[in-house]
Amino acid sequence: MNNFINQKITTANTIALIKVGLLGVLSAESWYFSKIIASKINIYVASSGYEFSALIISLLLLFLVIIYLIARDFYLTITKIIRSKRIDVAIMFFTGILISASFSGIGSNIYTKIVASLTTQQLLILILLPIVLAFLLFARAIILRIYKKDSEIPFFLSDIEQKSKDDDLLDFSEGAERFAERVYNQGSPDSMVFGIDAPWGIGKSTFINLCKEYWNTKYNKEIIIYSFNPLRYENRENLLEKFVDGLIRVINKNVFTPEIRPIISKYSRFIGSKKVTFPFFGLNFEISPGNYTVDDAFDDLESTLSTFNRKVIIVVDDLDRLDFHTIKDILFVIKKSFTLPNISYAICYDTDNISLLEKEQIRTEKITEFLEKFVNVKVSLYLDNQVLIKYVSENLAKVLTGNSQADPVLISKAVGGLIDIYKSKDYHQYLPFVGDVRKLKRLINTMSLFELEKTDFENSDFDKQDLIHLLLIYINYPNIFRKIYNTETHGKRGFFSVQLPYDDDYPKSGKSIEHEYKNSEAYKKYIEHLSENQQFLLNKVFDVSKRLSQIKIDNTPQEIASSYACFNGGWTDNRNLEEYLNLIVRLSKPQKRSQHKFYLNCKNEVLQGKPVKEILEREEFSDTNNELSHELFWRVITNSLSEFNSQVGSNLIIYLLNNITNHSFFSNKDIGVGLRDDLVFFLIKLLDQVGWSDSNGKHYNNTEEYISEITEWVFGEKRHKDEGVISTLGMEERGVLGLYDLLVFRLYCSADRGGHEFNLQRALSKHSDPKAPTDGLLNNIAIVEIRKISQKIFQLFENQYINANKNIFDLIDRLTLPELTGKYISFVEAKVASGEVKDIDKRVAELKTRMKSFITYQLGNSMIKSGIGCGYYDQIGAQDKNGIKAKINNYLFDQCFNPVENLNNYEHFVDYLLINFANIFSPQDDRKYIPHIDEFTKVLDKEKLFEYWKNNSVAIRNLNLELKSKVVFTANYNASYKDDVINVYNELDKMMLEDKSETNA
């Protein structure tokens, strides 16, 4: 009863009831008007026999009316009116109907005259007009629905806030529900203003959307939500009117309160200081409200709102994006109205950003004090690093939902450096770049634009930290990124990238030898004028004191040298920084075969037991490419041997032994092949480090007992009797090329060659002689060490060549390009066909010459100098009286140079001498290559040479070889028959004369 008494009878209530009464009158009048029209049409239908057609048209009209009412939510409107329990409105509506009925239609006479003046056809056409209009509207809606274009899947992540709890990726749900419950305030009519204070990009809009979802789910019948976003209105001058109009629409949509519009409109005109006018002949005349004041308007509004059974929550988003004057206007409206019952506000803003809007640059403290006058309760939102880590690592697939072009797995690798950033102690310095979701989305969108996620990061050398930092520079400071690009691409280096001692502007410290990386003076001066944030990002990539403080130039790990963006050429061929820049600017992704990490991954696969054959059959190791990929693979393998167990080590050794013949002997860089010699060295490393194992299956306890397995590999004994190195490399079907491999292997084994294969050398020494020295003079160690292997190799040579009467020089001359290049013949032929290699015949000749010289020298010399020739040893025993040298000389003179076997052997003799010219220095310090007897007799026995020349010199001279255009190509000097043969003859004649003089003496 008290509530009833306290309710105020307002003008708005009276006007609203009058309008309802008039609506009742109009409804009844419509009924009477329809009856008159129907009466005339019924006469026409009955007289013409159109009853069935009339029935169909009536049903169609009824159907369209029903569809229209459903489309207009007529049922919900009726339900809303009923639930309002406005008996006064119902009574007034029916009163209007009774008034009309009491007159049997107030305008019935007028309606009769109008209908009578129209023909039946005219009436039918007028009736059909709404039917046709409705049909066209529904037909268009159906057509548009059928041919509606499917929503295209977006390529980029939009900046639209999340709408539902299911899409919550920032763990806001719990806090949003708690906040929403507090705003509801147990349904109390008391009004409050709640503030949500957070920087841009944190997720204020998402947070408030989660609140809306909570209200709509739990308090759907108790709450009306009005969302007002001032940014949607281009013209901000009438912002208050738009705010009020939207509020009225939302209230009327949810609650039947016909008097609410005039009351709120009056109140808004008062607080907006807007006068009511009416136009007349182009002039606006002011209407005075009389004695009706703002307090009266407030009392009327309060009286109306107090009858609400629902609470209105007004959400104002993006307040901080308005100008300061507009913000003050909106807050003033809130201040004037928040005391009204059943209305509360939730306002989203950023205090720091508001402080930047005022021209006077008000301090944040003052802005906070200003807002406190309007906001009763404030919450602040925070995104800590753990939330962002989860966003990037766990929820990235959800973030990319709808983007079919982006692979979340690959994106996560591309942004992998972010995880480290969020975990680092410098995280606070990254906040301007990746401290909120909006910035993070921009970074991901940039990666999608550049298709960075399609880069094979698993097999590339890109450092995830460097890539992220360069991307952040690209996004936030394009002018700086452009400076990096202009100074570090197309062969340029040294402005941002590290400096080396031989660089022109390398900062000298006065030391005689420099071993440290340094930044250029230009870089140091450049960053002096940059902001703190700009310096921070640049130094994270390029500052030597931070990145390379503990690393010396001559001791840089390959993983760092091949991946850090601060390197861009110099002592290494890798232009790391340029690859980063080209990846970002040109979408240029490096090939796997050029990336050190790719080979590390291959090594790890070998470590896990994958067959080497399966790995090296991949496209990256294809025969159509040069051997560089194979070389890099084996270098990584041999640099990681401590990781392999004996089984994997055995597999590597066996594979290398069986497949070395696939590779080429060419070593010229422009051809790009020539790995075969290096593979022999890699084989030595494998034997030394993984060709044995201790009792634990490891390679730690390298006692003589355990390393003896190495010699089992070398000589094909015991555990490795069917896979010996000597028997495999020197197998007869491999021919002279296998012999060359075997002699290279023997030479690399020698302790005095400067190698560090301590296990291999010690094992070979003890195999030759259990009492062999393992320390002291290297020559003494080497003599014993390679005695047995030298004897074993000579035994193989004797069986395959001497006893078989094969001329080693003939065999080498008959070698073809495919035999010399292995599986890489197509690559070399392509180089020749393209013109990149123009002198392939000369190169082949040089290679054959090298093989002749190397094989004869290794087998026949008896010197102890940087390797010991097989000729130093006897065929058996340890007397070392040069028995093998004598055998080799017999083979050379009796078979290879013997004209009885073949007259062409004279040329083999001459060629051999031309190959073995001595090099001397003239007084002018110009290198000269001349024939010299001392050089010839390093292998050839002087007495046998004397006898051979004595018996064959005339026959050789009679061949007139000096008239031939033949050239014997060597790596150092190309000896021609025309220019050098006579000099050879003269040197041999000189030997004869000197011998004769010594005999006479």
Side-chain angles (χ1 to χ4, degrees):
M1 187 67 181
N2 289 333
N3 290 336
F4 176 77
I5 294 173
N6 290 335
Q7 294 302 318
K8 182 179 179 182
I9 299 176
T10 64
T11 303
N13 289 335
T14 305
I15 294 174
L17 289 176
I18 292 173
K19 288 180 178 179
V20 170
L22 290 175
L23 180 61
V25 171
L26 289 175
S27 300
E29 290 299 304
S30 299
W31 168 256
Y32 286 113
F33 185 55
S34 301
K35 282 181 65 178
I36 295 171
I37 294 174
S39 176
K40 185 169 183 176
I41 292 176
N42 285 337
I43 296 171
Y44 172 76
V45 170
S47 63
S48 304
Y50 292 147
E51 289 87 350
F52 181 75
S53 299
L55 177 63
I56 296 300
I57 293 173
S58 300
L59 291 175
L60 177 61
L61 181 59
L62 178 62
F63 175 76
L64 291 175
V65 169
I66 293 173
I67 295 297
Y68 176 80
L69 293 175
I70 292 174
R72 298 292 295 178
D73 294 330
F74 182 73
Y75 170 78
L76 296 177
T77 302
I78 295 298
T79 304
K80 177 177 63 176
I81 293 173
I82 294 172
R83 286 179 177 173
S84 68
K85 300 178 182 179
R86 292 294 299 269
I87 299 174
D88 56 336
V89 172
I91 293 173
M92 197 63 194
F93 180 76
F94 286 110
T95 300
I97 294 175
L98 288 173
I99 292 172
S100 177
S102 65
F103 290 93
S104 297
I106 297 174
S108 294
N109 294 331
I110 299 173
Y111 308 150
T112 302
K113 290 179 181 180
I114 293 173
V115 172
S117 65
L118 299 173
T119 65
T120 304
Q121 288 78 8
Q122 290 173 333
L123 281 175
L124 288 174
I125 291 173
L126 291 174
I127 292 172
L128 284 174
L129 276 177
I131 298 176
V132 173
L133 178 62
F135 176 78
L136 292 176
L137 291 174
F138 291 137
R140 176 175 172 77
I142 293 172
I143 292 171
L144 290 175
R145 187 175 186 86
I146 293 174
Y147 293 100
K148 182 180 179 181
K149 185 179 180 181
D150 294 335
S151 298
E152 296 293 335
I153 297 175
F155 188 83
F156 298 108
L157 301 180
S158 68
D159 200 25
I160 299 174
E161 68 272 11
Q162 302 303 318
K163 305 290 186 182
S164 171
K165 180 179 179 180
D166 295 335
D167 301 325
D168 178 26
L169 305 177
L170 302 173
D171 292 335
F172 279 162
S173 298
E174 184 178 346
E177 291 178 1
R178 185 167 55 250
F179 177 78
E181 192 65 49
R182 297 297 180 268
V183 173
Y184 178 62
N185 198 18
Q186 298 182 349
S188 170
D190 294 342
S191 294
M192 301 282 287
V193 177
F194 296 85
I196 304 171
D197 187 357
W200 287 359
I202 289 295
K204 297 189 295 293
S205 298
T206 296
F207 182 86
I208 202 65
N209 285 340
L210 296 177
C211 293
K212 293 177 186 177
E213 182 185 38
Y214 179 81
W215 290 324
N216 288 327
T217 302
K218 189 171 181 180
Y219 300 114
N220 186 40
K221 305 300 183 183
E222 292 85 7
I223 287 180
I224 297 173
I225 302 171
Y226 171 44
S227 297
F228 179 69
N229 192 332
L231 284 179
R232 295 177 181 175
Y233 303 101
E234 182 178 357
N235 184 2
R236 309 259 173 90
E237 293 180 1
N238 299 319
L239 205 56
L240 179 60
E241 289 185 16
K242 293 162 185 173
F243 169 79
V244 170
D245 184 66
L247 176 61
I248 293 170
R249 290 176 183 275
V250 170
I251 292 176
N252 283 336
K253 183 179 179 181
N254 291 271
V255 180
F256 180 69
T257 310
E259 62 273 17
I260 194 69
R261 176 178 288 276
I263 295 177
I264 292 182
S265 297
K266 284 183 180 179
Y267 182 66
S268 66
R269 284 196 293 271
F270 276 115
I271 62 176
S273 300
K274 186 158 184 152
K275 301 185 182 301
V276 180
T277 62
F278 74 92
F280 183 75
F281 286 101
L283 300 174
N284 289 324
F285 291 88
E286 181 179 335
I287 299 177
S288 174
N291 296 325
Y292 194 78
T293 66
V294 65
D295 293 327
D296 295 329
F298 183 86
D299 292 340
D300 289 348
L301 187 55
E302 181 180 32
S303 176
T304 302
L305 291 176
S306 64
T307 63
F308 271 28
N309 56 1
R310 301 176 74 174
K311 185 165 188 171
V312 180
I313 297 177
I314 301 174
V315 176
V316 182
D317 199 2
D318 292 326
L319 185 68
D320 52 348
R321 299 197 183 192
L322 303 172
D323 60 85
F324 194 68
H325 176 72
T326 306
I327 292 174
K328 289 190 291 185
D329 286 347
I330 291 177
L331 291 176
F332 175 75
V333 171
I334 294 172
K335 179 69 175 177
K336 293 289 290 184
S337 63
F338 79 86
T339 56
L340 291 169
N342 288 316
I343 291 184
S344 289
Y345 289 85
I347 307 172
C348 301
Y349 58 88
D350 175 12
T351 301
D352 291 335
N353 195 53
I354 291 177
S355 66
L356 300 175
L357 298 175
E358 179 66 359
K359 295 180 181 179
E360 299 177 1
Q361 292 291 304
I362 304 173
R363 289 184 303 169
T364 302
E365 295 83 356
K366 292 294 183 181
I367 292 294
T368 301
E369 293 176 5
F370 170 74
L371 292 173
E372 286 176 353
K373 297 177 182 178
F374 303 95
V375 179
N376 302 118
V377 181
K378 183 185 78 170
V379 295
S380 296
L381 303 184
Y382 299 93
L383 283 181
D384 59 34
N385 58 340
Q386 294 302 315
V387 172
L388 291 172
I389 289 172
K390 182 179 179 181
Y391 185 88
V392 173
S393 59
E394 298 181 18
N395 295 320
L396 196 55
K398 291 183 180 179
V399 174
L400 296 171
T401 297
N403 186 349
S404 62
Q405 306 296 320
D407 186 333
V409 175
L410 297 180
I411 282 284
S412 64
K413 293 175 182 176
V415 299
L418 282 175
I419 304 283
D420 297 333
I421 286 176
Y422 292 138
K423 292 180 178 179
S424 72
K425 63 180 181 180
D426 298 326
Y427 169 63
H428 63 283
Q429 293 185 271
Y430 289 99
L431 290 177
F433 314 114
V434 291
D436 61 61
V437 177
R438 183 173 285 116
K439 294 183 177 69
L440 189 53
K441 284 183 177 180
R442 184 168 61 161
L443 178 61
I444 294 174
N445 282 337
T446 301
M447 291 181 172
S448 297
L449 175 65
F450 296 152
E451 297 182 340
L452 292 187
E453 80 277 6
K454 294 182 181 179
T455 303
D456 188 357
F457 289 101
E458 287 293 335
N459 293 296
S460 69
D461 292 335
F462 292 121
D463 180 81
K464 57 185 179 181
Q465 288 283 334
D466 283 350
L467 179 59
I468 287 296
H469 286 111
L470 287 170
L471 279 171
L472 293 176
I473 294 171
Y474 176 87
I475 294 170
N476 294 281
Y477 308 115
N479 58 323
I480 295 178
F481 187 89
R482 194 173 292 110
K483 179 74 172 180
I484 299 172
Y485 185 84
N486 290 335
T487 57
E488 296 288 346
T489 56
H490 305 296
K492 298 187 289 293
R493 57 173 296 273
F495 188 100
F496 290 90
S497 56
V498 296
Q499 292 278 293
L500 302 173
Y502 55 79
D503 291 330
D504 293 337
D505 58 345
Y506 180 82
K508 303 297 181 181
S509 63
K511 300 178 182 178
S512 58
I513 301 177
E514 298 282 352
H515 296 285
E516 298 177 352
Y517 295 106
K518 293 185 180 179
N519 289 118
S520 68
E521 294 297 334
Y523 174 78
K524 295 175 183 177
K525 292 179 181 178
Y526 178 74
I527 64 172
E528 286 178 358
H529 305 288
L530 301 180
S531 68
E532 184 178 347
N533 287 340
Q534 293 170 333
Q535 290 183 17
F536 173 73
L537 286 181
L538 282 174
N539 286 333
K540 278 293 183 179
V541 180
F542 301 112
D543 188 356
V544 168
S545 63
K546 290 181 173 63
R547 306 218 65 196
L548 304 170
S549 59
Q550 304 299 321
I551 299 175
K552 302 297 183 183
I553 293 176
D554 54 358
N555 192 30
T556 306
Q558 182 61 36
E559 289 78 4
I560 291 178
S562 61
S563 64
Y564 278 17
C566 58
F567 293 113
N568 200 29
W571 65 274
T572 174
D573 292 332
N574 297 336
R575 289 189 60 81
N576 301 351
L577 179 54
E578 187 163 3
E579 285 195 354
Y580 282 94
L581 299 175
N582 287 333
L583 175 68
I584 296 173
V585 175
R586 301 180 179 275
L587 314 184
S588 175
K589 299 172 178 59
Q591 295 182 334
K592 287 183 184 178
R593 66 174 65 95
S594 67
Q595 302 295 293
H596 178 70
K597 192 173 181 180
F598 166 68
Y599 300 102
L600 287 178
N601 290 336
C602 291
K603 179 263 296 182
N604 291 333
E605 291 183 74
V606 173
L607 192 62
Q608 294 164 8
K610 179 164 285 192
V612 181
K613 182 177 183 294
E614 186 177 329
I615 293 173
L616 294 181
E617 284 180 348
R618 294 173 180 167
E619 182 182 356
E620 290 79 17
F621 300 97
S622 170
D623 299 338
T624 59
N625 300 302
N626 62 37
E627 293 178 279
L628 178 61
S629 56
H630 286 264
E631 179 183 357
L632 295 174
F633 170 79
W634 285 108
R635 288 197 182 279
V636 169
I637 289 291
T638 52
N639 288 332
S640 310
L641 292 176
S642 60
E643 303 176 30
F644 297 106
N645 58 37
S646 57
Q647 181 59 52
V648 174
S650 296
N651 294 338
L652 289 168
I653 293 171
I654 292 171
Y655 179 86
L656 202 52
L657 285 172
N658 293 334
N659 291 276
I660 191 172
T661 56
N662 293 331
H663 295 275
S664 171
F665 283 98
F666 282 100
S667 59
N668 305 71
K669 286 188 176 181
D670 54 347
I671 294 182
V673 292
L675 183 57
R676 192 153 171 172
D677 277 2
D678 290 337
L679 288 178
V680 176
F681 173 73
F682 296 152
L683 176 61
I684 296 284
K685 302 290 288 184
L686 287 168
L687 290 169
D688 181 72
Q689 297 188 44
V690 296
W692 60 278
S693 60
D694 54 29
S695 58
N696 296 319
K698 306 294 184 181
H699 312 295
Y700 299 143
N701 189 14
N702 61 341
T703 61
E704 294 175 14
E705 174 188 359
Y706 298 125
I707 65 172
S708 63
E709 186 180 354
I710 296 175
T711 57
E712 295 176 15
W713 276 107
V714 174
F715 296 104
E717 299 170 348
K718 298 178 182 178
R719 287 168 284 186
H720 303 289
K721 62 180 180 179
D722 297 324
E723 49 200 18
V725 173
I726 294 177
S727 60
T728 303
L729 291 180
M731 61 176 58
E732 192 165 359
E733 54 266 36
R734 295 193 180 185
V736 69
L737 299 181
L739 174 65
Y740 180 87
D741 292 331
L742 190 54
L743 289 169
V744 172
F745 174 80
R746 187 199 75 93
L747 181 62
Y748 283 153
C749 287
S750 182
D752 63 346
R753 289 288 296 181
H756 302 285
E757 290 71 43
F758 179 69
N759 296 320
L760 171 67
Q761 294 161 0
R762 193 156 55 97
L764 287 175
S765 294
K766 294 301 179 181
H767 188 269
S768 291
D769 183 355
K771 298 180 180 179
T774 55
D775 53 15
L777 293 176
L778 288 178
N779 287 345
N780 294 338
I781 297 173
I783 289 172
V784 180
E785 176 206 346
I786 63 170
R787 180 184 292 121
K788 262 198 173 181
I789 191 174
S790 299
Q791 292 171 339
K792 186 77 173 179
I793 291 173
F794 175 75
Q795 180 185 343
L796 182 146
F797 178 80
E798 186 177 33
N799 292 335
Q800 293 183 9
Y801 297 92
I802 297 176
N803 296 340
N805 196 27
K806 293 179 180 179
N807 190 324
I808 191 73
F809 298 111
D810 282 335
L811 295 175
I812 293 175
D813 283 340
R814 287 199 290 267
L815 289 172
T816 63
L817 184 61
E819 289 176 303
L820 294 170
T821 53
K823 295 175 67 174
Y824 295 88
I825 177 60
S826 59
F827 175 79
V828 176
E829 287 178 338
K831 288 283 188 178
V832 174
S834 67
E836 292 183 59
V837 178
K838 300 179 180 179
D839 50 358
I840 189 63
D841 293 335
K842 176 177 177 292
R843 293 169 186 263
V844 170
E846 286 180 356
L847 179 57
K848 291 180 178 180
T849 298
R850 175 160 60 91
M851 288 185 172
K852 291 176 183 179
S853 176
F854 181 78
I855 290 173
T856 55
Y857 182 79
Q858 291 299 316
L859 287 171
N861 92 82
S862 58
M863 295 184 295
I864 304 174
K865 183 180 180 182
S866 190
I868 301 170
C870 291
Y872 179 82
Y873 304 101
D874 296 330
Q875 289 174 272
I876 57 173
Q879 295 299 313
D880 301 338
K881 294 185 177 180
N882 309 147
I884 293 177
K885 180 175 181 176
K887 282 282 188 178
I888 291 297
N889 270 270
N890 290 339
Y891 167 71
L892 291 174
F893 286 105
D894 296 343
Q895 292 178 226
C896 298
F897 302 152
N898 189 352
V900 177
E901 297 286 335
N902 191 321
L903 193 61
N904 289 334
N905 288 345
Y906 278 144
E907 282 196 35
H908 287 320
F909 172 72
V910 174
D911 288 348
Y912 178 81
L913 298 180
L914 291 173
I915 290 170
N916 290 285
F917 270 27
N919 63 80
I920 62 172
F921 290 95
S922 69
Q924 291 77 26
D925 202 32
D926 291 327
R927 187 179 291 272
K928 299 292 184 180
Y929 293 90
I930 62 172
H932 197 282
I933 199 65
D934 290 344
E935 196 68 30
F936 298 156
T937 55
K938 285 182 178 179
V939 172
L940 301 180
D941 181 81
K942 192 172 184 178
E943 292 182 4
K944 284 185 173 294
L945 178 61
F946 178 90
E947 288 298 323
Y948 183 86
W949 184 245
K950 177 181 176 182
N951 296 328
N952 297 282
S953 61
V954 175
I956 292 174
R957 288 181 186 274
N958 288 337
L959 293 175
N960 295 318
L961 296 178
E962 67 276 8
L963 300 179
K964 294 182 68 172
S965 59
K966 181 178 179 180
V967 177
V968 178
F969 295 100
T970 68
N972 301 318
Y973 177 70
N974 299 326
S976 67
Y977 275 31
K978 183 178 180 180
D979 298 327
D980 296 299
V981 164
I982 298 301
N983 293 332
V984 171
Y985 297 163
N986 292 338
E987 181 66 14
L988 293 174
D989 290 341
K990 179 182 175 182
M991 173 192 68
M992 300 286 289
L993 291 173
E994 289 176 352
D995 184 76
K996 186 175 181 180
S997 299
E998 291 175 2
T999 302
N1000 292 335

